[in-house]
């Protein structure tokens, strides 16, 4: 029931609620938001997954079982600087990691193949060397030229 409900919500509200850029100007607008609001340059989104606890569907075995001891389905989302969704993937089983889910998305394949309309590189403010635009994610995601990790926290 959760999966069908999520699909119905996506079908109904996708066009008005999720705005994924497809042009260099659209991505630069998102990057400008990260620069203006967070002083984080050349960033096109932040990505993370959220495990949503649920009762296991019948006869699914451990398919939805998360290693933390409960069954779940995963919401993987990319957001802009104002926390607005620009990409969402819902319904992966809880046994799958965030990075594993992202590896199988159309958006990730488009990023790898340079088909998402992203400008390849631009210089940081006050510099003449160009760097790629990138996505910020936590340690669950690997490093790529278009994906970085935040600095480690020293208060832990």
């Amino acid at each position: 029931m959760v999966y069908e409900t999520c699909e119905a919500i996506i079908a109904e509200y996708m066009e008005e609620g999720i705005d994924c850029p497809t042009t260099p100007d659209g991505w630069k607008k998102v990057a400008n938001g990260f620069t203006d609001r967070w002083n984080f340059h050349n960033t096109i989104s932040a990505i993370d997954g959220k495990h949503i606890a649920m009762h296991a569907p019948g006869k699914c075995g451990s398919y939805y079982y998360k290693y933390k001891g409960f069954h779940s389905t995963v919401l993987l989302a990319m957001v802009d600087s104002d926390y607005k969704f620009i990409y969402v993937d819902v319904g992966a089983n809880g046994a799958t990691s965030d990075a594993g889910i992202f590896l199988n998305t159309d958006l990730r394949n488009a990023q790898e193949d340079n088909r998402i309309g992203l400008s390849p590189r631009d210089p940081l403010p006050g510099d003449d060397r160009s760097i790629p635009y990138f996505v910020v994610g936590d340690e669950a995601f690997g490093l790529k030229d278009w994906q970085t990790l935040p600095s480690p926290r020293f208060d832990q």
Side-chain angles (χ1 to χ4, degrees), residues 47-68:
I47 187 172
D48 202 5
K50 174 65 177 163
H51 286 261
I52 302 162
M54 63 182 226
H55 292 288
K59 300 180 183 178
C60 74
S62 62
Y63 188 69
Y64 287 94
Y65 192 75
K66 180 177 171 55
Y67 69 92
K68 291 189 176 182

Side-chain angles (χ1 to χ4, degrees), residues 21-98:
T22 58
T23 66
D25 287 341
W27 286 110
K28 284 185 180 185
K29 183 177 175 185
V30 172
N32 289 340
F34 277 97
T35 295
D36 296 343
R37 184 164 186 177
W38 303 107
N39 198 30
F40 212 65
H41 310 291
N42 286 29
T43 304
I44 59 166
S45 73
I47 187 172
D48 202 5
K50 174 65 177 163
H51 286 261
I52 302 162
M54 63 182 226
H55 292 288
K59 300 180 183 178
C60 74
S62 62
Y63 188 69
Y64 287 94
Y65 192 75
K66 180 177 171 55
Y67 69 92
K68 291 189 176 182
F70 61 93
H71 291 85
S72 68
T73 189
V74 183
L75 164 73
L76 181 76
M78 295 175 73
V79 298
D80 67 13
S81 62
D82 294 320
Y83 310 111
K84 294 179 182 169
F85 291 117
I86 59 174
Y87 184 81
V88 175
D89 184 277
V90 180
N93 69 69
T96 308
S97 70
D98 294 350

Side-chain angles (χ1 to χ4, degrees), residues 103-136:
L103 286 174
N104 293 311
T105 63
D106 293 335
L107 183 63
R108 184 262 182 184
N109 292 330
Q111 280 179 304
E112 286 286 327
D113 298 341
N114 296 318
R115 294 181 286 121
I116 63 170
L118 186 62
S119 296
R121 305 168 83 83
D122 270 325
L124 297 175
D127 199 344
D128 61 349
R129 294 173 291 172
S130 293
I131 68 164
Y133 286 88
F134 57 89
V135 173
V136 176

